[in-house]
Amino acid sequence: MSNPIFRTLQERLDQYSMGFPKTESGIEIKILEKLFSIDDAKMFLQLSPMLETPDKVSSRVGKSPEETSGILADMAQRGLLFSLKKGDLIRYGAIPFVHGLFEFQINKMDRELAAMVRQYMDEEFKDALSSSLADFLRVIPVHKSLETRTQVAAYEDAIQILEKSDPIVISDCSCRKSARLIGNACEKPIEVCFMLGSMGQYYLDHDMGRKIDIKEAGEILTMAHDAGLITQPATSQNPSGMCNCCGDCCGPLTSLKGHPKPAELVFSNHYARVDEALCTGCETCLERCQMDAIFINEDVHAVVNRDRCIGCGLCVTTCPTEAIVLEQKDEQTYQVPPKSSLEQMMTMAQKRGVI
């Protein structure tokens, strides 16, 4: 029988980010039992996402600052906590399941964990993802897909996000790596996830990625777009990460793809439009679209289903006749992301009714 503390831990995690909902099978408890010991769970439950020093935590857990510091450092090294070091001061905080516990297992991911996460995704978590996706990740278009007449703010430009980040760290995609372990992955590149600022430093401190300069970051971004990956930073103006996702392996996009109207769930300020006079019906765009938002009509012209188009621009960049363009949504539907990651997390929690 499972220790009751893991149910308490599940309920706590369900309050963070997109949540960590209960399932009928109990697979979420098996995931927690694989990642946490009972002592780990007790320590995690003494923390919140607000970063604290070991001294402050020790007063609550009845251990010396030195012993508490060692426990917290070990848990952070195993991807169970977030840590931030400034000078000689290290602070720790609790993390959600996504982005957090799952992604932080990138170096320790094995077939068993990958299979359990896939089962959990299929049973329950995909619904949590799709219901919170717009507040978690946003779509920014492939840069060269935008017409020069379209005004795009700095927070929608991937290169500008990267340019203002220090450090820039590149890591493997945890979704694609997990999918490969269970033989269910596409062949798209895997080292394509950017971690930025303090999150990037966490990845460096725990050997989960490597530091790159803006030149290499631009090259990776171009490679990802050429491979048909959708760029999705966190839904804030100062994101801590920026993923390059596919509709085959990546949790957020696969959950989105299964919805009848993905455009209603995603944070995006653009949509694709086809000029029928230029379209030859070559079907190149069908292969590029990760949301199955394009079809060929009886006149052999591509047609965009606005209910499914999330405005990524992948169809634009490879159209041989330049028949597809991205258009910016009107002022009534144009969205501005929250200013900070904290504001983003608060918004998600409020919409889920947990605060």
Side-chain angles (χ1 to χ4, degrees):
M1 177 180 288
S2 175
N3 190 300
I5 197 170
F6 291 109
R7 179 57 65 196
T8 305
L9 180 57
Q10 174 266 316
E11 291 170 350
R12 175 68 61 82
L13 286 167
D14 199 33
Q15 298 178 26
Y16 299 156
S17 185
M18 285 178 289
F20 191 64
K22 182 179 180 179
T23 67
E24 290 187 9
S25 71
I27 187 62
E28 76 283 3
I29 299 299
K30 293 180 181 179
I31 292 172
L32 294 179
E33 289 174 331
K34 181 174 176 64
L35 297 178
F36 290 82
S37 69
I38 292 175
D39 287 340
D40 291 335
K42 290 178 180 179
M43 180 62 77
F44 188 98
L45 290 168
Q46 292 295 322
L47 299 172
S48 78
M50 302 300 292
L51 298 178
E52 295 180 286
T53 63
D55 284 356
K56 288 187 175 180
V57 177
S58 67
S59 64
R60 292 199 300 274
V61 300
K63 299 180 184 295
S64 70
E66 293 76 18
E67 185 179 4
T68 303
S69 178
I71 293 170
L72 295 175
D74 175 64
M75 290 181 66
Q77 183 64 40
R78 289 184 286 127
L80 304 182
L81 296 173
F82 181 73
S83 63
L84 180 63
K85 182 177 182 180
K86 288 190 176 181
D88 294 329
L89 184 68
I90 305 179
R91 295 179 296 160
Y92 299 90
I95 52 177
F97 182 62
V98 172
H99 177 268
L101 289 172
F102 172 60
E103 289 81 2
F104 292 177
Q105 303 309 308
I106 189 68
N107 290 338
K108 297 176 282 294
M109 184 76 67
D110 59 20
R111 183 179 177 85
E112 181 186 33
L113 180 58
M116 287 194 293
V117 171
R118 172 50 57 187
Q119 180 182 341
Y120 183 51
M121 177 71 69
D122 291 341
E123 283 189 30
E124 192 68 37
F125 197 62
K126 64 180 183 300
D127 295 329
L129 277 173
S130 59
S131 63
S132 301
L133 190 58
D135 297 307
F136 181 61
L137 293 173
R138 57 192 168 103
V139 175
I140 55 176
V142 178
H143 187 65
K144 60 185 178 180
S145 70
L146 293 167
E147 295 184 305
T148 55
R149 63 178 176 84
T150 301
Q151 298 300 311
V152 182
Y155 55 75
E156 287 194 313
D157 189 325
I159 291 296
Q160 291 187 36
I161 289 173
L162 293 169
E163 285 177 340
K164 67 180 183 181
S165 300
D166 182 34
I168 305 171
V169 177
I170 192 71
S171 178
D172 286 351
C173 171
S174 53
C175 293
R176 206 162 293 119
K177 181 173 182 177
S178 176
R180 286 185 180 182
L181 285 169
I182 57 175
N184 192 31
C186 66
E187 297 302 319
K188 291 181 172 63
I190 193 169
E191 193 190 36
V192 291
C193 286
F194 297 103
M195 300 300 156
L196 312 173
S198 59
M199 183 63 74
Q201 190 59 53
Y202 174 88
Y203 271 65
L204 285 179
D205 291 343
H206 300 286
D207 300 317
M208 294 159 60
R210 60 185 180 88
K211 186 175 181 179
I212 59 175
D213 58 23
I214 187 63
K215 180 178 182 294
E216 184 176 1
E219 292 170 350
I220 291 173
L221 191 64
T222 299
M223 177 267 292
H225 291 165
D226 290 345
L229 297 175
I230 296 175
T231 298
Q232 296 189 110
T235 304
S236 72
Q237 295 180 33
N238 186 28
S240 59
M242 185 161 64
C243 302
N244 287 285
C245 305
C246 68
D248 300 313
C249 309
C250 298
L253 283 187
T254 54
S255 63
L256 189 66
K257 190 174 183 177
H259 194 274
K261 296 183 178 182
E264 293 183 352
L265 303 180
V266 74
F267 190 117
S268 175
N269 283 320
H270 298 85
Y271 62 90
R273 178 179 59 81
V274 178
D275 184 339
E276 290 192 358
L278 297 176
C279 179
T280 63
C282 69
E283 300 189 5
T284 301
C285 54
L286 273 63
E287 298 175 4
R288 294 280 284 179
C289 183
Q290 300 294 306
M291 289 294 111
D292 298 330
I294 307 176
F295 62 94
I296 303 298
N297 66 12
E298 58 186 12
D299 296 323
V300 198
H301 293 139
V303 177
V304 176
N305 180 348
R306 287 281 301 276
D307 285 336
R308 299 198 62 83
C309 177
I310 61 174
C312 67
L314 288 175
C315 58
V316 177
T317 56
T318 52
C319 178
T321 60
E322 299 183 355
I324 311 178
V325 296
L326 275 189
E327 292 199 348
Q328 186 170 291
K329 293 180 180 178
D330 57 34
E331 294 182 0
Q332 286 72 34
T333 54
Y334 193 89
Q335 298 175 283
V336 176
K339 291 182 179 180
S340 67
S341 296
L342 178 59
E343 184 179 337
Q344 174 199 8
M345 292 297 107
M346 292 292 288
T347 298
M348 292 178 70
Q350 287 171 350
K351 288 186 176 180
R352 293 184 59 244
V354 296
I355 63 171

